[in-house]
Amino acid sequence: MKLKELNTTLENQRTICYKKDGNSITYHNKDMRLVEGCLYCGEPEAESQWNSYCMLYVRYPDQKVAMEIGTVNADYNVEEAVGVVKKNGIETQDTFIECVKRKIEAQDHIQLTWIEYLKYIRPTLIDACWESRKAFAEKREQIRQERKAQRDAEDQKYVAERNAEMERQIAAAYEVIRNGGTLENSDVSIYESRYNCHTYKIVNYLFRQHGVNCPIKTQGWINERLSQVTITPEGTVHVRFWKTKNGKCSEKVFDCLFELVRIVRAEN
């Protein structure tokens, strides 16, 4: 039988449950039906046109208070719902206590609702539960810090490798400018972090680095059209560019390139 088909008596039980913030608990009176054993479910509530869910609860014999577990699909049958509490080890009061003890031994996280329920069942375990929660939080924080340090190291390595590649591109460009050869107007990227970099065409980058006054329009032409620059050992400059209909080579680019060659060779 599905949970939504249950017709057992609807009972109103005082229940331990989480507040909306999910970080603190409160008590509410909840309507619930017996499913099997210590397991109860609330009335189905529509989640959409096609799905509805039921809240599950446990209430152990001789206890006047129930504990909220969580929601499952209202199409779950009784066996599936019982499987949920068995998986959590809380199908009976004895298994609940044993589960809590195992968590304490493992320094695992223990839910606040569980700790509150222990006030009625085994209050002597409560202090150990809080210590277990504290130890779990400390372990989780340590793992978080270790993972962060690993990510930071990987990010630093990534940035260093990319910037080293950029330096090799720049060094090769200077070799061409000083001794002659062909310089591809490729992209160079300077990384500040893995996700933050500045990318330039290498010719425009070199202009900026050496204070060559290149007009904005010419910079745009270099970004969009300039393919490569060939520099002879004597300092003569030739360019290749992507042609478009009625497109012409920039005249100003030669002045800027000659100025760059002059500055770089003078520095050398």
Side-chain angles (χ1 to χ4, degrees), residues 56-172:
L56 294 183
Y57 309 90
V58 293
R59 184 176 68 81
Y60 302 128
D62 303 323
Q63 300 299 334
K64 297 181 179 180
V65 176
M67 177 175 67
E68 188 178 82
I69 299 174
T71 59
V72 296
N73 195 295
D75 283 325
Y76 270 32
N77 58 41
V78 170
E79 291 75 16
E80 289 175 311
V82 171
V84 172
V85 292
K86 285 185 176 180
K87 182 178 179 181
N88 286 280
I90 58 175
E91 66 271 24
T92 69
Q93 183 167 304
D94 288 340
T95 60
F96 173 69
I97 292 171
E98 290 304 312
C99 182
V100 169
K101 289 180 178 179
R102 288 195 300 272
K103 285 180 175 289
I104 290 171
E105 184 177 357
Q107 294 189 323
D108 201 354
H109 178 76
I110 300 174
Q111 298 178 40
L112 294 176
T113 50
W114 289 26
I115 297 175
E116 185 68 18
Y117 210 15
L118 284 172
K119 290 181 180 180
Y120 303 91
I121 299 170
R122 190 66 63 85
T124 55
L125 292 175
I126 290 176
D127 288 345
C129 286
W130 287 113
E131 290 299 320
S132 183
R133 278 177 63 94
K134 180 181 177 182
F136 176 83
E138 290 172 349
K139 286 189 295 184
R140 184 169 58 181
E141 177 61 19
Q142 180 181 354
I143 292 171
R144 189 190 71 81
Q145 292 288 351
E146 290 172 353
R147 289 177 177 172
K148 181 178 182 302
Q150 181 180 355
R151 289 195 302 270
D152 289 346
E154 290 172 352
D155 288 348
Q156 290 173 7
K157 181 182 177 183
Y158 179 91
V159 169
E161 289 174 348
R162 296 302 181 276
N163 286 338
E165 175 60 28
M166 185 272 293
E167 294 292 343
R168 285 191 288 271
Q169 287 179 267
I170 298 301

Side-chain angles (χ1 to χ4, degrees), residues 4-18:
K4 65 183 181 181
E5 297 170 346
L6 287 172
N7 57 3
T8 52
T9 303
L10 198 63
E11 306 174 40
N12 188 264
Q13 303 279 355
R14 187 166 182 254
T15 305
I16 301 167
C17 48
Y18 279 101

